Amino acid sequence: VPIEPTAFDQRDADLTPIIVTTARKLKRVLADEQNEVLETLRRKEPVREVASLVPDADAHVARYVDAIEGDLAGAANAAAAMVGRTRKLRKADADAAIDAASEVLAEWLVAPLRERLERCVADGDGDNAGIGKRVRAVYREWKTQHIDEQLDDVVRTAHGRGVLAAFEPATPIVCVCDQSHQSCSDFDDNTLAGAVAAGDPFPTGHASAPAHVGCRCLLLPERR
């Protein structure tokens, strides 16, 4: 007898191609940004602050979000379809999902990148060639490691907000942990709490999943 796919199976099937696509796009942004930074460093003026290399924090985040916002909206709409919504999310709900994912991207990908670039500049102390060597190593690390480690969380955040937005207000929903992965201590408490009305917080204070980086929980309709 064929095994019925779970909601987690469906989420993984929906998100895997999106994650592959967004990873490729973000690595391209990183490569373009690295080229811009190295071109700046080739000039004669000694670089002594990161603002000479990359835009301010908000604009820096926006550079990455702009490249993948359509994919993040796609993740949110896939989530809505998964829980039975037959129409796409309202633009405001899709935008809210993108914003939530953008916050994760900013905290776990862009902010650490900026910190490392700042360290490169400080350690280089105006030696542009030395800064350039350090910068190449940082961008190589982000392209080969950090994007692949953190992007799942970014895309799952958009998906989780799409799930929540798809429910009619006050729909009884439950938090379910993905048993194929290590359970979240936060959402273990929420699972035990039973159903809440969609939009209301669970005992941990979270109204949607995932609750944190690495969380693989889902909100689902309560089974009657």
Side-chain angles (χ1 to χ4, degrees):
V1 179
I3 299 174
E4 186 75 18
T6 68
F8 299 103
D9 295 331
Q10 184 63 57
R11 178 183 63 183
D12 291 347
D14 289 338
L15 295 190
T16 295
I18 293 175
I19 290 168
V20 170
T21 298
T22 53
R24 184 171 62 248
K25 291 179 179 178
L26 290 185
K27 289 176 182 180
R28 189 178 305 133
V29 174
L30 278 165
D32 290 344
E33 181 174 294
Q34 176 184 339
N35 290 337
E36 292 172 8
V37 168
L38 292 175
E39 180 60 33
T40 299
L41 289 167
R42 291 187 189 101
R43 299 171 189 166
K44 294 182 180 180
E45 299 86 351
V47 169
R48 298 188 181 277
E49 56 182 24
V50 76
S52 299
L53 300 179
V54 291
D56 65 61
D58 288 344
H60 202 180
V61 172
R63 172 182 288 179
Y64 290 84
V65 174
D66 288 350
I68 63 170
E69 62 181 353
D71 302 289
L72 297 176
N77 278 300
M82 186 189 75
V83 296
R85 187 182 179 97
T86 57
R87 301 186 308 278
K88 283 190 173 183
L89 295 172
R90 294 183 306 129
K91 185 177 185 302
D93 290 330
D95 287 346
I98 293 170
D99 289 345
S102 300
E103 291 176 8
V104 177
L105 186 149
E107 180 178 359
W108 293 97
L109 281 173
V110 181
L113 173 61
R114 292 180 67 84
E115 290 171 4
R116 288 287 297 277
L117 293 176
E118 288 172 357
R119 201 178 314 155
C120 290
V121 172
D123 291 346
D125 193 26
D127 173 13
N128 285 13
I131 295 171
K133 290 179 181 178
R134 294 176 174 89
V135 161
R136 284 189 183 90
V138 169
Y139 279 102
R140 182 167 58 249
E141 180 183 338
W142 253 251
K143 285 184 286 187
T144 60
Q145 179 180 341
H146 285 275
I147 288 291
D148 294 327
E149 287 180 347
Q150 303 296 343
L151 192 54
D152 287 18
D153 294 301
V154 174
V155 176
R156 275 200 298 268
T157 297
H159 184 275
R161 290 302 180 94
V163 167
L164 181 62
F167 292 121
E168 294 295 330
T171 300
I173 59 173
V174 294
C175 171
V176 182
C177 292
D178 186 350
Q179 297 302 311
S180 65
H181 292 81
Q182 185 176 357
S183 63
C184 303
S185 56
D186 279 348
F187 266 70
D188 278 344
D189 294 337
N190 295 337
T191 299
L192 293 171
V196 304
D200 287 352
F202 283 87
T204 60
H206 300 100
S208 65
H212 53 77
V213 168
C215 175
R216 290 178 173 267
C217 297
L218 269 175
L219 303 184
L220 296 172
E222 181 185 30
R223 288 186 177 180
R224 299 284 180 157

